[in-house]
Amino acid sequence: MIELRDIHKTFGANHVLRGVDLTVTKGNSLVIIGGSGTGKSVTLKCILGLIKPDQGQIFVDGQNVEDASRDAFLARFGMLFQGAALFDSIPVWQNVAFRLMRGALKRPKDEAREVAIEKLRRVGLKPEVADKFPAELSGGMQKRVGLARAIAADPEIIFFDEPTTGLDPIMSGVINDLIREIVTEMGATALTITHDMTSVRAIADNVAMLHDGVVKWTGPVNDMDTSGDPYVDQFIHGRAEGPIAAVR
Amino acid sequence: MIHFLASIGRAVMAALAKVGSVALFALETISHLFRPPFYGREFWHALIQIGWLSLPVVGLTAFFTGGALALQIFAGGSRYGAEAVVPSIVAIGMVRELGPVLGGLMVAARVASSIAAEIGTMKVTEQIDALVTLSTHPMKYLTLPRVLAATLAVPVLVAVGDSVGIMGGYLVGVGRLDFNAATYLKNTVDFLEPWDITSGLFKGAAFGFIVATMGCYHGMQSGRGAQGVGAATKSAVVSASVLIFAANYILTELFFAA
Ligand SMILES: Nc1ncnc2c1ncn2[C@@H]1O[C@H](COP(=O)(O)OP(=O)(O)OP(=O)(O)O)[C@@H](O)[C@H]1O
Ligand SMILES: [Mg+2]
């Protein structure tokens, strides 16, 4: 279980997070929606300790993340970055198997490679891709390699920052199914950011809407259409008119 | 007046803060030398990038400098009828001063820039964040291998540069200035003391450390976007070069001021 309590974060004069409270229960899939630049990615980075919140606490399984041993803590996580963040000096398969080739989870090279190729297959990439370099791939392919890397070590908790952005509709479907499968079959806890409402409905157990630095609405995905919340309504229907300003 | 003093004060404080943060960065890098895990592959890779691939540029620089040095010393020496000093002064000038400083500067131009650009790009494309989430410490995986490789490789480059520079002087001395080949070599060797050479190698190690540390530091501190990486690269080369000159003076005082 992940719990955020009153998280604040300011960059210069930009007060991005203004008291975010959020709970993700174990084995559950939460999707965060919200306008561009509202601090969704920043929220994920705060949980991982990549950005230090100015104020507030974050608990994972009841333990304050600041007290946790970093290595043990991070070993439980997988993260897909919004920009894929592949290491461009090493081939695709070594990117995917990065965690399996060093540190506590280290295993023989050919075994790591096999796992990498299997994970690549799960995100819809052929084995031929394994020996290419990230710069040789299209944006959507890079994204999927990033996804394969995030799930390579079968983490308990997985963060996906816009997993289907830049993918064609069929690939989006494949990725949505994959994320759902990881949650239901492997019992992982997933926290996904997406702007794609089809994805939201396919992936989410629960939805949280971030706006103005706080969680404006949160609830089960089935209640999303009948939330009665003007922010959520405007967002899911993509209306230019409403309480959310179109220029931000 | 108050404003003027205040702005000076602020600038001094900012400069001191910078010095402090670079020093902490350097100390942290060194501390990882004693704390596993170590990334051997990254180290070998850095050794090839920094050491092996810098050989041509360091060698060429030293060769031409040695040649020019011989011409200058000959021109200067002939005013006192002291042309015979050419071989020994070329050798001493090369190994004590020009070999390490020019070698360090060429490595700064080649290596500090590429390290800063590489790490800076990794920073702005979130690759450094990705490393952290994959339980890999960026200082251990990126910084230490490069700093260690540069500290060990630059003295070797300096040794090569010294030899090539002396050879450049020899070729000019024998080919253009009509020195006797055997006499030139004998004078080179006779007046050279071991400490002349080793002091230059120590300088090389210090310069290598400076170059890689500045490259990594500015890369890690890189601002966002391509502009941030550009600024980081520039700062890395400029600060590495200036620090090389400063360190060279300090080390020369330490080594040779009687
Ligand atoms: N490292 C940083 N330094 C300064 N400002 C930052 C930093 N990271 C994020 N920001 C700012 O914080 C705000 C929120 O950024 P964030 O990336 O979380 O948005 P987002 O909700 O993920 O948007 P998108 O949907 O477009 O990805 C933005 O205004 C951004 O400029
Ligand atoms: Mg984002």
Side-chain angles (χ1 to χ4, degrees):
Chain A
M1 187 160 99
I2 305 170
E3 223 182 325
L4 281 72
R5 284 195 208 143
D6 195 33
I7 298 297
H8 287 255
K9 181 68 199 178
T10 306
F11 294 106
N14 186 2
H15 201 161
V16 181
L17 303 181
R18 307 168 182 233
V20 172
D21 292 295
L22 198 65
T23 307
V24 197
T25 45
K26 208 180 176 75
N28 224 276
S29 168
L30 177 82
V31 170
I32 302 181
I33 57 174
S36 191
T38 47
K40 304 181 297 296
S41 299
V42 169
T43 306
L44 289 198
K45 288 184 190 167
C46 282
I47 302 174
L48 288 167
L50 298 172
I51 292 178
K52 204 176 152 21
D54 301 330
Q55 190 186 320
Q57 280 127 21
I58 298 167
F59 298 90
V60 174
D61 291 340
Q63 191 186 27
N64 193 323
V65 296
E66 283 177 30
D67 306 333
S69 130
R70 280 299 274 160
D71 283 345
F73 174 77
L74 287 168
R76 305 174 56 192
F77 282 88
M79 164 91 185
L80 165 65
F81 285 85
Q82 189 166 353
L86 302 178
F87 305 125
D88 31 39
S89 58
I90 54 178
V92 163
W93 78 267
Q94 291 187 20
N95 263 281
V96 176
F98 195 89
R99 215 188 241 293
L100 308 176
M101 293 173 70
R102 37 184 78 69
L105 294 173
K106 187 170 171 144
R107 58 185 79 181
K109 199 169 167 179
D110 30 337
E111 210 180 305
R113 190 185 154 92
E114 259 170 50
V115 175
I117 287 175
E118 160 62 15
K119 298 293 174 185
L120 286 171
R121 192 191 57 72
R122 293 198 68 182
V123 298
L125 288 169
K126 296 197 191 116
E128 291 93 274
V129 174
D131 291 308
K132 294 198 159 126
F133 279 85
E136 299 173 75
L137 306 183
S138 75
M141 290 164 90
Q142 291 181 8
K143 199 78 188 232
R144 287 184 281 153
V145 174
L147 191 63
R149 183 174 70 183
I151 61 172
D154 300 323
E156 295 166 51
I157 305 169
I158 318 186
F159 293 170
F160 302 103
D161 197 341
E162 305 197 4
T164 58
T165 308
L167 302 188
D168 65 67
I170 299 171
M171 257 319 140
S172 297
V174 170
I175 298 304
N176 290 338
D177 291 349
L178 173 66
I179 294 177
R180 197 60 244 176
E181 208 176 296
I182 289 169
V183 173
T184 45
E185 281 175 22
M186 289 161 41
T189 308
L191 215 174
T192 310
I193 295 172
T194 184
H195 293 298
D196 175 356
M197 295 317 293
T198 322
S199 277
V200 177
R201 290 174 211 283
I203 298 172
D205 292 317
N206 291 295
V207 177
M209 161 120 194
L210 199 63
H211 185 70
D212 278 344
V214 296
V215 175
K216 275 267 186 255
W217 181 84
T218 179
V221 64
N222 296 329
D223 296 355
M224 190 170 67
D225 294 304
T226 53
S227 67
D229 185 288
Y231 292 92
V232 174
D233 274 345
Q234 184 191 352
F235 195 84
I236 64 177
H237 295 114
R239 295 192 199 105
E241 304 290 313
I244 306 175
V247 179
R248 275 167 273 140
Chain B
M1 189 64 189
I2 295 282
H3 281 302
F4 178 65
L5 289 179
S7 69
I8 289 184
R10 260 196 301 278
V12 170
M13 292 302 282
L16 286 178
K18 196 89 192 166
V19 170
S21 102
V22 170
L24 281 179
F25 186 86
L27 286 178
E28 192 192 339
T29 305
I30 294 169
S31 79
H32 285 292
L33 196 53
F34 305 100
R35 289 184 285 159
F38 307 111
Y39 297 104
R41 279 175 45 120
E42 304 308 310
F43 173 69
W44 282 116
H45 188 73
L47 212 50
I48 288 170
Q49 286 292 325
I50 297 170
W52 180 244
L53 297 178
S54 295
L55 271 175
V57 56
V58 170
L60 283 171
T61 319
F63 182 78
F64 291 121
T65 307
L69 203 57
L71 290 176
Q72 294 282 30
I73 294 166
F74 185 81
S78 63
R79 292 177 196 168
Y80 310 94
E83 296 91 340
V85 296
V86 170
S88 58
I89 305 251
V90 166
I92 291 174
M94 234 26 241
V95 300
R96 276 170 67 151
E97 193 69 24
L98 289 170
V101 171
L102 289 178
L105 287 179
M106 293 320 283
V107 174
R110 219 193 135 259
V111 172
S113 55
S114 79
I115 292 180
E118 184 181 6
I119 295 185
T121 306
M122 292 186 74
K123 172 95 186 294
V124 302
T125 55
E126 298 181 318
Q127 292 178 50
I128 305 269
D129 284 344
L131 268 185
V132 174
T133 63
L134 294 165
S135 307
T136 304
H137 201 302
M139 292 292 278
K140 288 186 196 300
Y141 185 76
L142 297 173
T143 306
L144 180 63
R146 285 167 173 75
V147 172
L148 192 60
T151 311
L152 297 176
V154 176
V156 178
L157 288 171
V158 167
V160 173
D162 289 351
S163 321
V164 176
I166 290 173
M167 196 176 78
Y170 167 84
L171 289 179
V172 169
V174 173
R176 295 259 297 104
L177 306 174
D178 295 332
F179 275 85
N180 175 284
T183 323
Y184 192 103
L185 283 182
K186 187 172 183 322
N187 280 346
T188 299
V189 177
D190 279 356
F191 290 96
L192 212 52
E193 290 179 17
W195 178 235
D196 291 332
I197 299 170
T198 25
S199 68
L201 301 185
F202 278 120
K203 283 182 175 179
F207 300 162
F209 180 82
I210 288 172
V211 164
T213 305
M214 293 324 284
C216 293
Y217 174 81
H218 286 99
M220 293 279 186
Q221 300 284 316
S222 169
R224 307 181 89 194
Q227 220 171 14
V229 177
T233 309
K234 181 191 69 189
S235 306
V237 177
V238 171
S239 59
S241 311
V242 172
L243 281 177
I244 283 176
F245 284 115
N248 181 53
Y249 175 73
I250 295 169
L251 290 176
T252 308
E253 277 283 0
L254 282 178
F255 290 161
F256 299 109

